[in-house]
């Protein structure tokens, strides 16, 4: 992915288009989180000011990864994003149970890893770093 494309995605996050809940049509090129997840190696979706989102960000940065953090401001936006994330498919270790989406939600290489608990489990078991390397978020 080109640096220009990444910059456009970051700028779109800084100045996001209106969410479907704020009156825009859902067919007008929405799916901002989905696009970011497909094109950026590591994306964290969490509530603005959430301590767990901060923990996820610090863990990933401690490993040498710079995740894109998508912050949710209100209930309506959170509900819309949870629905969008739910449509992307279950978490890796969900086993097809269709568990509800929790925030923060961590995506690595376009796949939903899950919440803080799933990320920590992957880290402790030694699966996180190989997944980050496979996604292109780590080079060493």
């Amino acid at each position: 992915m080109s640096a220009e494309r990444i910059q456009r995605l970051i700028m779109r996050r800084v100045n996001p288009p209106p969410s479907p809940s704020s009156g825009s049509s859902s067919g007008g090129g929405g799916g901002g989180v989905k696009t970011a997840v497909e094109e950026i190696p590591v994306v964290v979706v969490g509530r603005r000011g959430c301590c767990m989102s901060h923990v996820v960000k610090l863990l990933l940065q401690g490993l040498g990864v710079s995740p894109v953090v998508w912050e949710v401001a209100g209930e309506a936006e959170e509900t819309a994003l949870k629905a969008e994330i739910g449509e992307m498919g279950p978490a890796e270790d969900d086993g097809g149970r269709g568990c509800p989406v929790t925030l923060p939600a961590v995506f690595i290489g376009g796949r939903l890893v899950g919440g803080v608990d799933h990320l920590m489990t992957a880290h402790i078991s030694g699966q996180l770093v190989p997944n980050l390397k496979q996604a292109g978020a780590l080079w060493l």
Side-chain angles (χ1 to χ4, degrees):
M1 174 177 10
S2 71
E4 182 179 305
R5 178 78 174 142
I6 292 172
Q7 183 64 31
R8 281 197 311 261
L9 285 168
I10 291 170
M11 291 308 296
R12 194 175 342 155
R13 178 57 202 127
V14 171
N15 302 307
S19 64
S21 61
S22 63
S24 69
S25 66
S26 59
V33 170
K34 185 175 182 178
T35 301
V37 164
E38 290 171 350
E39 297 183 6
I40 298 174
V42 181
V43 178
V44 177
V45 180
R47 291 178 192 89
R48 180 169 292 150
C50 173
C51 62
M52 290 293 111
S53 296
H54 186 69
V55 166
V56 168
K57 180 179 162 186
L58 287 178
L59 171 63
L60 293 168
Q61 288 176 336
L63 294 171
V65 175
S66 297
V68 169
V69 179
W70 192 288
E71 293 183 329
V72 179
E75 286 289 324
E77 185 180 4
E78 180 178 335
T79 302
L81 281 175
K82 282 184 175 182
E84 184 179 349
I85 291 168
E87 292 172 2
M88 290 184 215
E92 288 179 353
D93 60 353
D94 185 26
R97 294 186 306 263
C99 294
V101 174
T102 60
L103 296 181
V106 182
F107 293 88
I108 298 175
R111 293 185 318 261
L112 176 61
V113 173
V116 176
D117 52 346
H118 293 110
L119 186 70
M120 294 302 281
T121 300
H123 179 55
I124 291 168
S125 68
Q127 297 173 349
L128 182 57
V129 170
N131 287 344
L132 291 168
K133 287 180 181 177
Q134 183 181 8
L138 285 176
W139 293 282
L140 301 176

